[in-house]
Amino acid sequence: MKYTVLALAGDGIGPEILRAGIDVANAIAKKADLELDIIYDLIGGVCWDKHQTFCRSKTVSVAQKTNAVLVGAVGGPKWDTLKIDVLPEERDGLMKLRKEMRAFFGMRPVKYYPQLHDQTPYARGKVENSEIMVLREMCGGVMFAQPRGKKNKKNQRYAYDTAGYTETEIRQFAVGGFELARLRKNRLVSIDKSNVMESYRLWREVVQEVSREYKDVEVKHLYADNCAFQIAMNPAQFDIVLACNFLGDLFSDLAGIISGGLGMLPSASLCEPPIGVTQGIYEPVHGSAPDLIGAGIANPIGMILSVGMMFDYSFGRKDLSERIEHAIQQVLDVGCMTPDVGGAASTDEVTKKVIKEIQKWP
Ligand code: IPM
Ligand code: MG
């Protein structure tokens, strides 16, 4: 089998970790007798510097013809203050890529790693057995809806966004969530602020409608503020958390606490829910960490696990994805980890160790 992958390193530590991810992907391809055709292009600030856009339309059309897209990280202080069009698609290359590829089904799994327990704020016995899948809608809600802008109002500056969702957007996302629940533990928590906001009333209404077709799935609706408290206090009670774009962004970082570090977290933004094989964008949850550039100590694990998700959801090779996860466990077992999660190893050392484990596969 041959798979085509578009690789977009982006900014900051993006290139260093993307390289780690691709080295691992190539090692697996060799072991599993797959052919990987990797195409490189620019996204984020480096793309702005060269093309005056954060993501070219040409890049999007190439992405649409590949099996999957790998992204390192985007952004940095150099580009934060640029005054550009207010559309999020024009401000952020990732936003444009997600929107134009319709990669609406965001999966952000968070695992507890016993090896990293001391990196978490939890007492022993409070966090073990936690494993949360934050499902984040990626293409709508307050991060995209119109109108938005900035103007003068009563002699002062005024800025506004619209928190809007169509029922179709909510429904297609919720259906994916319930389908996934059936493949996991048959339960799901949907979060909103329907006590105060119209768009979240519709959110809850539509999720309730969809749930009637999934009577075997236990569904709970929580206000987001209360859910935040409960995740922090008792993470083990959660499995799937279904969230809009904005809350999903917050809650994927929040749930990340149980892993012991943001550098551990992978993500997938899929063009279809993960029932069959689908196209997707795979990226670590962490940012471009400008302060770490060139130090060689960026944690490659979030990226490597994102590569694992790519094998699973876009190549249909769950077996290989599970083996990657296993290899990561083995590497953590011997204490090979970067400083952000309490170790002293470099990006290269961790990556090489993972590859060594892969090479041992029968
Ligand atoms: C994420 C990031 C992005 C987002 C930023 C970089 C636009 O925080 O992937 O979680 O808000 O989606
Ligand atoms: Mg985020």
Side-chain angles (χ1 to χ4, degrees):
M1 277 304 280
K2 180 176 167 174
Y3 301 98
T4 312
V5 175
L6 175 64
L8 305 168
D11 309 311
I13 56 167
E16 305 166 39
I17 53 161
L18 182 80
R19 203 178 316 118
I22 287 180
D23 286 350
V24 169
N26 281 328
I28 295 164
K30 198 166 167 201
K31 257 296 172 210
D33 220 6
L34 306 171
E35 201 183 321
L36 284 185
D37 181 11
I38 300 171
I39 307 164
Y40 291 85
D41 202 351
L42 302 176
I43 195 169
V46 286
C47 187
W48 175 270
D49 288 350
K50 188 145 183 223
H51 303 292
Q52 286 70 58
T53 171
F54 289 107
C55 177
R56 292 184 299 159
S57 300
K58 200 175 143 208
T59 308
V60 176
S61 47
V62 171
Q64 280 159 339
K65 291 184 204 96
T66 59
N67 294 96
V69 181
L70 283 178
V71 177
V74 297
K78 181 176 170 196
W79 305 282
D80 282 349
T81 49
L82 282 177
K83 289 206 176 8
I84 21 182
D85 205 305
V86 292
L87 285 181
E89 297 93 308
E90 299 311 320
R91 278 199 181 187
D92 188 289
L94 251 180
M95 287 294 199
K96 174 166 171 176
L97 191 66
R98 290 170 183 166
K99 182 83 176 169
E100 301 213 346
M101 285 189 76
R102 292 182 217 279
F104 71 96
F105 198 78
M107 300 179 73
R108 300 187 161 203
V110 177
K111 267 206 168 120
Y112 167 75
Y113 294 95
Q115 304 92 331
L116 304 186
H117 183 96
D118 291 346
Q119 299 300 312
T120 76
Y122 292 98
R124 297 272 168 194
K126 287 262 186 198
V127 62
E128 291 79 354
N129 305 317
S130 298
E131 187 168 341
I132 301 178
M133 174 67 83
V134 177
L135 295 182
R136 170 183 174 192
E137 198 290 321
M138 302 299 293
C139 295
V142 70
M143 287 189 169
F144 283 106
Q146 298 280 357
R148 52 161 64 224
K150 199 171 166 189
K151 61 183 178 192
N152 271 319
K153 192 175 170 179
K154 292 187 184 149
N155 285 329
Q156 59 175 327
R157 287 168 299 166
Y158 172 72
Y160 56 100
D161 300 281
T162 302
Y165 264 116
T166 64
E167 60 176 309
T168 309
E169 286 173 313
I170 303 169
R171 185 168 296 115
Q172 65 168 1
F173 177 63
V175 163
F178 280 93
E179 288 289 334
L180 190 68
R182 279 189 171 157
L183 301 175
R184 292 170 62 96
K185 295 182 178 162
N186 272 62
R187 56 198 173 85
L188 168 163
V189 170
S190 171
I191 57 173
D192 60 51
K193 281 293 288 178
S194 58
N195 47 343
V196 278
M197 289 165 71
E198 278 306 321
S199 58
Y200 285 120
R201 280 166 66 126
L202 182 64
W203 178 276
R204 187 173 286 213
E205 212 171 283
V206 176
V207 174
Q208 274 164 346
E209 285 161 18
V210 173
S211 76
R212 282 182 213 124
E213 277 134 56
Y214 293 86
K215 293 225 162 66
D216 51 319
V217 177
E218 180 200 317
V219 57
K220 232 195 232 174
H221 298 269
L222 291 183
Y223 296 136
D225 46 351
N226 176 249
C227 182
F229 175 78
Q230 290 200 48
I231 287 187
M233 282 303 276
N234 180 12
Q237 66 178 307
F238 292 92
D239 187 50
I240 293 178
V241 175
L242 190 79
C244 70
N245 200 346
F246 184 64
L247 292 176
D249 185 28
L250 270 55
F251 275 67
S252 50
D253 275 34
L254 172 71
I257 301 172
I258 67 179
S259 284
L262 273 187
M264 300 296 293
L265 308 180
S267 85
S269 305
L270 306 180
C271 303
E272 297 288 339
I275 310 308
V277 170
T278 174
Q279 266 186 321
I281 305 168
Y282 300 87
E283 39 168 327
V285 170
H286 65 71
S288 60
D291 50 318
L292 290 186
I293 299 175
I297 52 166
N299 190 342
I301 293 181
M303 183 84 235
I304 293 171
L305 290 171
S306 302
V307 166
M309 293 180 86
M310 171 178 83
F311 275 90
D312 187 349
Y313 303 121
S314 288
F315 302 172
R317 294 298 303 264
K318 193 180 180 60
D319 58 325
L320 296 176
S321 159
E322 284 170 353
R323 291 172 104 175
I324 295 177
E325 285 184 32
H326 185 63
I328 297 284
Q329 291 287 355
Q330 289 171 306
V331 168
L332 295 176
D333 279 346
V334 295
C336 181
M337 50 188 90
T338 45
D340 56 304
V341 284
S346 66
T347 310
D348 265 4
E349 283 164 339
V350 175
T351 308
K352 288 207 173 101
K353 197 113 188 142
V354 173
I355 291 174
K356 231 186 191 137
E357 292 302 332
I358 290 167
Q359 285 163 344
K360 286 187 209 155
W361 293 353

